[in-house]
Amino acid sequence: MPSSLLWAVDVYGRVYSLSTTGQQWEQCRHAHLEFKRVSAVQQCCWGIACDHHIYLNVHASDVRIRYQEETYENQRWNPVDGFSDRLLPSDRWQWSDVTGLTHQPLDSFQLPSENWEWEADWYVDENFGGEPTEKGGWTYAIDFPATYTKDKKWNSCVRRRRWIRYRRYKSQDTWAKIPSEQTGSLPDPFNDISCGGWEITEEPRGRLSLWAVSLQGKVWFRDGIHYLNPEGSVWEEVSTPGEVVQISCGPADLVWAVLWEGQLLVREGISRDYPKGSSWVVVESPSPEVGAIHVAVGVNVVWAVTKDHRVWFRRGVNSHNPCGSGWIGMVGEMVMINVGLNDQVWGISCEDRAVYFRQGVTVSELSGKSWKAVSVPRDNERSHSSASASSLQSAGCYFGGEVHLQSQASVLSDVDSEAEKATEGAPPTLEPDEAPKPRIPKVTSDSFISELVSDREGQIGRHEGPPTAAGPSIPEEEGTEWSNVDLEEAQTHLTVGTVADSAETCSLSSVATYNLGLEEQYGADEHPLWAWVSGGGCAIDSHSQLNWFNSTTGLNSSMQAMSLSITPTQTAAWRKQIFEQLSERSKREMENFKHYEQAIEQSVWVKKGSMQWWRDWKPYKWMDVQFAVEQFSGAEGNKDGILFIYYTFNEEKKYLHAFINEVTILVPVLNESKHTFAIYTAERTKQRWPIRLAAATELEMHDWLALLSVSCCDSRGIHGPPSKQAIWSVTCKGDIFVSEPTPSLEASPYPMPCDQMFWRQVGGHLHIVECNSLGVVWGIGYDHTAWVYTGGYGGSFFQGLSSSTDNIYTQTDVKSVYIYENQRWNPVTGYTNRGLPTDRYMWSDASGLKECTKANTKPPSPHWTWVSDWAIDYSVSGGTDREGWQYAADFPASYHGHKTLKDFVRRRRWARKCKLTTTGPWQEVPPIPLSDVTILPCGLKNAVEQVLLWAISNKGDVLCRLGVTSLTPAGTSWLHVGTDQPFKSISIGGVYQVWAIARDGSAFYRGSVSAQNPAGDCWYHIPSPNRQKLKQVSVGRTSVYAVDENGNLWYRQGVTPSYPQGSMWEHISNNVRKVSVGPLDQVWIIADKVQGSHSLSCGTVCHRLGVQPMEPKGQSWDYGIGVSSLLLCS
Amino acid sequence: MTLPTPIIMADDKDVLRDVWFGRIPTCFMLYPDEVTEREAEPFYLLLPRVSYLTLVTDKVKKHFLKVVKAEDVEEMWFEYEGTPLKWHYPIGVLFDLHASNTALPWSVTVHFKDFPERDLLHCPSSSVIEAHFMSSIKEADALKHKGQVINDMQKKDHKQLWMGLQNDKFDQFWAMNRKLMEYPTEEGGFRYIPFRIYQTLSDRPFIQKLFRPVSPEGHVLTLGDLLKEMVPAAIYEPKKYQVVIHGIEPLLETPIQWLSEHLSHPDNFLHICIVPAPND
């Protein structure tokens, strides 16, 4: 789990965040002003400051937010000037957008706000649809508008070129004011804010919904917020049936608001196309006599707080029924509630103002079990005085809020009476028992001040001057000078603030605010008093391990010390000493006495059990068999074993056996109905016929797999973690395998055949794995999460001895399952789900051959569980209409996203997410999701300190990882390498050649990459093979191979040290899915349609034979295991 | 944000293997006064450090019974340089306590008469050893987990622990024993560390007290902390004493929890021997 943040505001208006891996509240130092409320999501946090303006805090990322501005320069040819900017009157503008309709000169582009900066100047784009253009970037056509080509022809009368300039968002990790550009239509300041809605669309654009409430009770929606435009573009008013005091927006399509009168509003009609929704429905307050004052919504939950602080849970809420069905009263009295990710709930107790977490909230039990206080110290607990001093300083500048003013006023005059007055002046909605509490000490001015001194030393140090001039604080003369000025200012503001507060518009929120003011004076510093909490960015669920509860300051620091010591133990001297001494001891006590008899004789050890076996002959079927593994120790102490399958055929007892040391791989083949696995030997790989066995339960299968795996490793003398030179691969199911290279693997002229390599499984789940020979291994999950190998082994179902104790962590992965809804048009009813008799199933898989309904489609294996509901998938290639439909003339055909007259069928894709949780030697590398990764393949003699690692984010950004060494394989940070378009594949060769493929299929070579300059300096555009769009590239020591979208494998000719770009592409093979070139230029591919492979495999690993220094292309393919493995050599 | 850096090196599992497969080359010699029919040849054997003398000396018995007069045979017992060897201490402890820093093989004298009733417990059968072994494990678990783990195990699980030791099956034993070594992460270790400290120069058989792996202030306690409390002399006169566990001398800053997890004997106790340092 990567760490994420819980945000909170204390009663002083200070903003804090608490990391899921941390144990203390960190004050947000960038906040130079007090905040009233915050609303967090994972990538940013919105807040309302005490000046009632809205601020945005975008979390810093190694990849900056960059927005590409583009404009076109258009020219026409005339006999006099040649091409010139003198166009015909009927022509487009000289500078225009792509359509030519809008006039767009370069100087018309302005930065949208002061939070942006230009990255560089304008430049010409010399890439035209994946092909490099001539210098100057011109593309030619006969006339506007027309088809452009990169070559000038005799009839080219017009030409145009594209200019690009990037601007980037600069206000990261700081509170940037959102300019209120429409001052006219925004008469009053904001009072509440709520951010969410990112799950409404599955777009990578990262659209967000931001709802805000003004002091007058109006609701506003911020339009146009997405990843490249974090500030949004415009406020739109949303009319409401009454005055709203508070609003809450969930991650998906739930939006609820609270009316001044205490009823609740539910927004209906929110969808992908209408994130603002269409109408409001009123829901009555949970309790008829007491109105609601606060509401919080998640994906499928709604929580509310009534004016008596009671907490309510709304039953039956979901996307189809946003109003739910009824209220349930919950235990606990809260000031406010917030629902974060995974419908987890946070609250601020009205009794002690502590932040509470709702424990036990799961999908099946959304209301959770109990409240648990978050008790961690704040980072400024010890250095408190300085912190509050600084906060006051800033308060002097921005004093518009209510909180501090009251306390300061009290200090200045008679404290007692002031406090009383303040109480009397409370708004009528104030809870009576919220006023002077018995625990509040009766204070005199002196004792009060001293208490305050202990509380907020810095602040009081400045204020105690005038009232206690005779007191012992004379040395603080300078401070007094200061405070006089400061206070005068504050007082003027005070009047303003009070007027605003006591005005009719005073909302319910001031109930909370007022109390805060009161409590602030007496607040015991042991317990921070919180005003607001937001868990929208806090990625936890009911299984998360949090160290936030029941910790005291003392224990906390020691706990941190302990958790820190986990890793250092490995390097600690004492540990090294034990390792060394033990091996010395073994040598001393055993080496010379090996001929002695052992006291305990070793014997044969057998494990037996019942299983089902997929019969070797026709008719193939599962039959009951007895399965046994015999393990014995050889003469030299090495272990070996045999596995037996006892079956009955024609009432005759027979058996089949295999030697454990001949097993090459054990593959779990989980499907819905059976818990099966396959055992391959070299012989059976050749025959494409593994031993397939099914156990009765998953647990049994895992027991057997773990046992067999240990036996296989024992028989081959493999113990502990994989070596640094190990070869890693993943199957198409995401299982991870590792193989120890043997010297014979690449031996010439008779390399070890692929089918004899032994692969053992390592826990975890990955989509892509990449390694080098220094033991740096990275992986990418199906959900694009980046993982780094920790040096352990085992995990998953490998328990106990086949797993290391350290370095095993929880790993999760999420992927989508897709089904298709198919319809046919008929003249009477239009499109219906009644097809022709010859048609495919109306609910099917992509091919249409298999029926897949929403109800009968299960997750891929029992390890996966559904985590979302079925939703229409709009991100299908070819595009869709607004309802997600794609049209075609008939099944099966090519589909397009709009209906034409010739279209008689249509289909749409539904997606449902499922999640897998396992364990393995992998640690997440947050926070940027990746789609490809490559590591410099270091030769063994190569003592490179820093290991070059490049990656591509799932948005297509090219990234270079800094600080990667064999001791710190995770590295430290990303360096963003600018590109003009998104990329999809990348590979580094043995001598720092970086090759990459852009999304448009063009290839690029990065120049001047070296150990000293890991990011290189510029991109060289390499023309693609004729008419082919490349999709993947792999570089060895000198060879460069690429695969195109049609499965052709290409070899780059003419690559030399002085000309690393090479000269041209040469076709090698077809039916290739993926290629991997090793550091010795070994070529491995995953091939489709290898003869003899059957349905069990979805690809075959092949090794290029005959690769020689003089013949880098090799001669033929050697076919390996029939399990799709994305193979990586070292 | 940076990750805690994973470091790729030898795994702690290897320690468990090394501990389990520790062997002491031993030369068994018959006590010269035993009446024999012919001269008794010495018998050489590799003894597992973690096992018990009477559990692994069937071969020794068989060997010497060939020469000893049957009517003179009583219960077999062992002695090293005049000290009767307690079978209920693990073999490694006996060796470290009495014979560390001596030449190998370890010469053990075999007796069949004059059983030293005051010094040794009788061991009529292996079921006595099993009972002793299991009670040690239970006692250790009572200290570590209030006995909850061992009590949750079934009879066959207990048997698996014992059979693992008896047949020298590392995998079999540890498949079960790892459950006894688990603890809630948030507590940072066991409730108390099951340990025993043996001293050659003491009348007490051994020291065993309650000791937590983490101090009330939350510090990780080390071997040094333990010794400081139990045997201060071992710390303050380092030249005079050696602190030996499994034939090695761990550094005093080794966390006691780690030692308990990795260097405990199969009976789940951490047996620590304090022996006089060789004067050279």
Side-chain angles (χ1 to χ4, degrees), chain B residues 76-108:
Chain B
M76 178 171 68
W77 59 282
F78 303 96
E79 161 252 312
Y80 173 72
E81 292 187 346
T83 313
L85 296 175
K86 295 183 168 68
W87 64 262
H88 62 283
Y89 289 2
I91 292 167
V93 171
L94 293 171
F95 177 79
D96 291 342
L97 196 60
H98 303 299
S100 48
N101 307 311
T102 60
L104 291 170
W106 183 30
S107 329
V108 173

Side-chain angles (χ1 to χ4, degrees), chain B residues 1-169:
Chain B
M1 190 161 24
T2 53
L3 286 173
T5 313
I7 299 207
I8 301 163
M9 63 176 283
D11 192 77
D12 288 350
K13 282 277 156 53
D14 299 341
V15 175
L16 302 180
R17 256 175 215 281
D18 281 354
V19 164
W20 182 274
F21 290 106
R23 297 283 186 269
I24 293 167
T26 312
C27 170
F28 289 96
M29 280 177 298
L30 193 63
Y31 183 58
D33 287 4
E34 297 278 351
V35 185
T36 56
E37 289 170 333
R38 52 195 151 89
E39 199 180 340
E41 293 281 328
F43 189 74
Y44 297 94
L45 208 55
L46 282 174
L47 297 183
R49 272 179 164 270
V50 295
S51 193
Y52 298 94
L53 269 179
T54 42
L55 188 61
V56 294
T57 47
D58 282 349
K59 287 179 182 177
V60 178
K61 195 171 181 179
K62 213 182 279 173
H63 174 82
F64 288 115
L65 283 184
K66 285 185 241 162
V67 295
V68 180
K69 273 190 189 166
E71 60 267 31
D72 291 332
V73 173
E74 291 166 28
E75 188 175 339
M76 178 171 68
W77 59 282
F78 303 96
E79 161 252 312
Y80 173 72
E81 292 187 346
T83 313
L85 296 175
K86 295 183 168 68
W87 64 262
H88 62 283
Y89 289 2
I91 292 167
V93 171
L94 293 171
F95 177 79
D96 291 342
L97 196 60
H98 303 299
S100 48
N101 307 311
T102 60
L104 291 170
W106 183 30
S107 329
V108 173
T109 311
V110 182
H111 293 260
F112 286 97
K113 277 194 302 195
D114 303 324
F115 192 86
E117 304 283 347
R118 290 185 44 201
D119 297 315
L120 299 187
L121 299 172
H122 283 285
C123 179
S125 73
S126 71
S127 63
V128 178
I129 314 171
E130 180 181 353
H132 165 72
F133 173 71
M134 288 315 299
S135 74
S136 289
I137 286 195
K138 282 176 188 160
E139 185 180 350
D141 197 58
L143 293 167
K144 292 198 281 193
H145 312 105
K146 300 185 182 171
Q148 281 159 356
V149 181
I150 192 80
N151 291 337
D152 281 353
M153 285 186 184
Q154 297 175 351
K155 185 80 193 146
K156 74 173 172 63
D157 300 336
H158 292 182
K159 207 74 190 169
Q160 184 173 339
L161 288 167
W162 167 245
M163 295 302 284
L165 177 75
Q166 194 179 24
N167 297 328
D168 195 25
K169 295 283 186 219

Side-chain angles (χ1 to χ4, degrees), chain A residues 319-442:
Chain A
S319 186
H320 310 293
N321 182 21
C323 294
S325 47
W327 293 104
I328 306 172
M330 307 302 282
V331 179
E333 294 199 334
M334 296 285 165
V335 178
M336 61 87 64
I337 293 241
N338 186 268
V339 178
L341 298 178
N342 304 314
D343 286 341
Q344 300 297 308
V345 183
W346 311 88
I348 292 177
S349 154
C350 106
E351 191 185 342
D352 58 0
R353 290 276 177 176
V355 171
Y356 280 78
F357 171 60
R358 186 77 183 170
Q359 278 196 307
V361 174
T362 60
V363 179
S364 52
E365 196 172 355
L366 286 166
S367 58
K369 293 200 170 68
S370 59
W371 295 105
K372 195 167 185 185
V374 172
S375 89
V376 296
R378 288 169 293 175
D379 59 344
N380 56 348
E381 213 93 89
R382 269 160 247 107
S383 59
H384 195 236
S385 53
S386 64
S388 47
S390 69
S391 87
L392 186 79
Q393 231 163 21
S394 57
C397 318
Y398 284 98
F399 242 73
E402 313 85 336
V403 179
H404 289 260
L405 299 178
Q406 285 174 0
S407 80
Q408 281 174 345
S410 315
V411 178
L412 281 171
S413 49
D414 185 324
V415 175
D416 262 346
S417 61
E418 194 65 24
E420 296 287 347
K421 257 191 255 167
T423 315
E424 286 157 16
T429 42
L430 177 67
E431 190 67 23
D433 62 355
E434 228 3 80
K437 285 183 179 173
R439 68 185 168 88
I440 297 172
K442 195 80 178 164

Side-chain angles (χ1 to χ4, degrees), chain A residues 185-259:
Chain A
S185 59
L186 286 181
D188 53 341
F190 286 117
N191 182 51
D192 188 40
I193 189 172
S194 183
C195 187
W198 62 88
E199 281 182 11
I200 298 175
T201 57
E202 270 296 323
E203 287 178 275
R205 266 157 56 92
R207 198 165 69 183
L208 284 180
S209 297
L210 181 70
W211 295 78
V213 177
S214 69
L215 274 178
Q216 287 185 352
K218 290 181 178 166
V219 170
W220 299 81
F221 179 81
R222 182 80 178 170
D223 196 40
I225 306 177
H226 58 84
Y227 172 72
L228 293 175
N229 188 20
E231 304 161 291
S233 37
V234 67
W235 287 109
E236 292 176 2
E237 189 175 344
V238 179
S239 62
T240 53
E243 274 181 39
V244 172
V245 292
Q246 189 254 332
I247 196 160
S248 175
C249 168
D253 50 7
L254 272 189
V255 174
W256 282 53
V258 182
L259 288 176

Side-chain angles (χ1 to χ4, degrees), chain A residues 948-995:
Chain A
L948 211 56
L949 187 149
W950 286 57
I952 293 179
S953 80
N954 69 336
K955 292 193 177 77
D957 301 298
V958 178
L959 306 164
C960 175
R961 189 77 176 171
L962 302 179
V964 178
T965 67
S966 56
L967 289 178
T968 57
T972 50
S973 63
W974 291 110
L975 182 69
H976 182 209
V977 179
T979 55
D980 290 342
Q981 58 167 321
F983 274 51
K984 60 183 176 187
S985 169
I986 194 152
S987 180
I988 308 178
V991 286
Y992 297 96
Q993 322 93 298
V994 175
W995 285 72

Side-chain angles (χ1 to χ4, degrees), chain A residues 3 558 562 567 570 574-575 577 579 581 585 588-589 596-599 601 639 800 803-804 924 967-968, chain B residues 1 3 5 9-13 18 22-23 25 44 46 49 59 171 178 218 220 246-249 255:
Chain A
S3 61
S558 69
M562 274 176 59
T567 312
Q570 313 228 334
W574 57 261
R575 194 171 180 278
Q577 162 109 348
F579 272 74
Q581 288 201 1
R585 183 203 74 176
R588 180 175 74 232
E589 296 180 350
Y596 279 29
E597 207 175 317
Q598 288 283 352
E601 295 295 341
K639 284 190 186 159
S803 178
S804 56
E924 182 167 352
L967 289 178
T968 57
Chain B
M1 190 161 24
L3 286 173
T5 313
M9 63 176 283
D11 192 77
D12 288 350
K13 282 277 156 53
D18 281 354
R23 297 283 186 269
Y44 297 94
L46 282 174
R49 272 179 164 270
K59 287 179 182 177
D171 302 289
R178 74 183 165 85
V220 175
H246 288 289
I248 63 168
E249 294 177 74

